[in-house]
Structures are given as C-alpha cells and as structure tokens.
Amino acid sequence: MSSFDRDPSSYNISNQVRISSLGLAEDRVPQHLHPILSFINSWANQQDAPVTITIGGSIASGEADAFSDLDITAVYESTNPLNRARAEFEQMFTRYFNICVTFSAVHAGIPNLLVFYTRQDDWIVKLDISFLYCADPPCCIQEPFIVLRKDIPINQNTMPDTKPMSVQEIIPRYCGWLWYTFAKIKRGESLAACDSLAFTRKHAIIPLIQQATGVKLQGDRRLEQRLPTDWVEQLHNTHPRTLKPEDLYLSQASLHQIFLRAVNEIGKSDLLLEEQKYNQLIDVLRRQGLTIDWPE
C-alpha cells in the first residue's frame, strides 16, 4: 500500500527523535521547535515515493532563536506524488499539532508553499514547507540546508544571491519614486505615501547604505545590528510621526539626505549631475514645493 493511501493515524510519528540525530546541535535549537522537527524527520523517512527533504534557514545556519521559522523543502521527481504528498502532509500536520492558521502562498505566487502557524506551549511556530517538482535533477536549493533524506540529486553549491542593483540602476528608480511619493502626499493618500516611503527605504536607500558601508547584502535580517549605528539612527528618523502632510514631507526629505550621503560615500555623486533628466525631475519637485538638495 502506498503511503499516500494510508490513514494518517497509521503513521508512526515520533516526537522523541533526538535533534542531534538530525545533524543539529540541541543547544542551538529552541526546545519548542524539537517536536515539529522530529515530526518532519519521521514523515520524511516514511515517504514511499523518491524524495529529497531539507531543512534550511536559521536552523541550518545555527542562528535559530525562539522566534525562528522552520523552512522545509521537499523535492519530488514527478507531479503526481508531489500533489498527493502535499495534501497528505497538510492532513497529517493538522492532526498532530495545534494549528492556529494555515494557508498556501498563492498570494506570493508560490502555490506549492504551505504555511502553518502552530502553538507550542507559550510560543507560536511558523512552518514553511515547499513542495518542488524537479524534472531535471539536480535541483538547486538555497544554502545553508541540512539534508534529512536524499533520493533525488540536489545541487549543494551556494545559489548565487540575487545580483544587487548597481548605483546606476538605483538612481533612476529612486528619482521616479521621489515623484511618486510626493504625488501620493499631495493627493492626500497618506497610507499609500507611507507604503511608498517604506518601499523606497527598502529597495533604494538600504541597498545604497550597504554598498557605502561594505555590509554584505543579506536581506533585511537584523539590519539594525549589522549597519553602523549612525546610519540606523538616520533611517529611524525617516519614519513619519503622523500621517499629516508635513510629517510625510519631512520623512521624504530625511530619506533624501541619506540618499545623497550614501551616493557621495560610494563616490558616485557625478552620476547625479551627468543625467539632465534627473535634474529636470528635481527641478519640478522643487517648484512644487518639496525642499530637497541636489549636487550643484
């Protein structure tokens, strides 16, 4: 009988597997995560179809804390067992754990990613499990990861990070977002303006700061601990105190000061002067009442 045809109650699911047997240091994995990791291990070992299952994220890197997610990837060689395993896992996990919320990541364009929030004592654990179809092994999985089961070849080389935008690519985007944010404030769309400020901060300002300071591009994780304190304090001042236009304008101007500082420290201020189109946009913004500097 295929594992997919069995009733979930027939599974031998053990929560007693020692974390050390999974290649994890027990003192580096919070205790409330142990039962779920043991469940994942038991589930992986009882799959009848060929599958490769890995644990990634902060668990694999040894940086887990009490608020860490669990990131699991299951790779199958055909879609039929993948779809059945996905349905089976959801049924089993819901049976064995106290699920608060569950959904697929269709909203993010990742329909084969299941997301679970489950209560473990006084903690909430977020589990992300991706079900991947690999038509042409080896499948490439983002490192770091720990292999629980390996029936299908996987590429264990570090996947290249998304190539960060160059200063030349960031500047025109930033200039466009300057006007977009300003227009939202002018139109009284305060919440949309806040979203635009946050988007600009994340996708233009922070990448420039990272390039100016030499901080490795690793996403948003613990940025306030990795960036120099003075930059963090400047970033903090870019969050609007209220939704009043004057506070939103002040936040935009503060972001702009960081932009100029970062471009200057990278040594690319000349790029702001070379392109006449940028100057035209800044000139219009100034005529509309936004007080911002620009290299002369």
Side-chain angles (χ1 to χ4, degrees):
M1 177 184 295
S2 166
S3 66
F4 303 109
D5 300 322
R6 285 185 282 181
D7 184 272
S9 61
S10 68
Y11 276 86
N12 176 27
I13 300 299
S14 170
N15 285 340
Q16 306 303 315
V17 177
R18 292 186 63 84
I19 296 302
S20 58
S21 70
L22 308 183
L24 302 170
E26 296 201 25
D27 61 346
R28 301 300 298 273
V29 180
Q31 191 65 38
H32 65 277
L33 300 180
H34 289 205
I36 299 179
L37 287 169
S38 294
F39 170 89
I40 296 294
N41 186 61
S42 296
W43 172 77
N45 289 330
Q46 294 181 65
Q47 292 291 289
D48 289 345
V51 61
T52 290
I53 298 175
T54 64
I55 304 172
S58 59
I59 296 291
S61 67
E63 301 173 306
D65 58 31
F67 300 98
S68 289
D69 301 341
L70 295 179
D71 299 296
I72 310 298
T73 301
V75 182
Y76 292 83
E77 60 184 0
S78 63
T79 56
N80 202 30
L82 179 152
N83 291 332
R84 287 185 291 172
R86 183 178 183 274
E88 172 201 78
F89 181 91
E90 187 169 11
Q91 184 182 14
M92 289 177 59
F93 195 70
T94 302
R95 179 187 183 94
Y96 282 97
F97 292 95
N98 180 12
I99 306 300
C100 302
V101 179
T102 182
F103 50 86
S104 72
V106 175
H107 62 283
I110 319 174
N112 278 331
L113 171 64
L114 293 181
V115 181
F116 298 87
Y117 287 83
T118 177
R119 178 176 177 177
Q120 292 293 105
D121 300 322
D122 292 328
W123 300 94
I124 297 295
V125 179
K126 178 175 179 280
L127 168 71
D128 292 341
I129 178 165
S130 297
F131 291 86
L132 304 181
Y133 161 54
C134 188
D136 186 22
C139 181
C140 197
I141 298 177
Q142 177 71 58
E143 286 190 336
F145 58 82
I146 295 171
V147 177
L148 293 183
R149 175 170 170 174
K150 186 179 178 182
D151 301 332
I152 299 169
I154 55 175
N155 188 341
Q156 299 190 45
N157 294 328
T158 302
M159 290 178 63
D161 294 332
T162 302
K163 183 180 179 181
M165 287 191 295
S166 66
V167 180
Q168 291 90 334
E169 293 171 314
I170 291 175
I171 288 175
R173 289 168 171 79
Y174 171 78
C175 289
W177 298 335
L178 261 179
W179 173 259
Y180 180 85
T181 304
F182 179 77
K184 292 300 178 184
I185 301 173
K186 276 288 190 181
R187 295 174 67 184
E189 299 176 9
S190 302
L191 292 177
C194 284
D195 287 343
S196 185
L197 287 168
F199 188 90
T200 303
R201 186 185 303 111
K202 179 175 181 178
H203 295 284
I205 304 302
I206 288 177
L208 286 174
I209 293 174
Q210 291 176 315
Q211 293 184 49
T213 60
V215 173
K216 185 178 180 181
L217 291 166
Q218 298 173 328
D220 299 331
R221 188 176 180 85
R222 297 194 174 98
L223 266 178
E224 61 281 337
Q225 297 177 20
R226 295 190 285 116
L227 292 176
T229 303
D230 60 326
W231 289 94
V232 173
E233 291 176 350
Q234 268 199 285
L235 284 172
H236 172 68
N237 291 331
T238 67
H239 291 267
R241 295 182 301 171
T242 73
L243 293 179
K244 295 179 180 179
E246 55 266 31
D247 284 333
L248 294 171
Y249 289 135
L250 182 60
S251 292
Q252 187 171 28
S254 297
L255 274 178
H256 186 69
Q257 289 302 314
I258 302 177
F259 167 79
L260 293 176
R261 177 189 174 189
V263 172
N264 182 61
E265 294 199 13
I266 295 170
K268 296 292 185 177
S269 292
D270 56 311
L271 296 175
L272 306 182
L273 300 171
E274 292 175 355
E275 181 54 71
Q276 186 62 30
K277 293 178 181 179
Y278 304 156
N279 293 294
Q280 291 176 1
L281 190 148
I282 297 302
D283 181 60
V284 171
L285 281 166
R286 284 171 166 170
R287 290 174 183 273
Q288 290 287 340
L290 185 63
T291 305
I292 54 175
D293 297 327
W294 198 255
E296 298 296 338

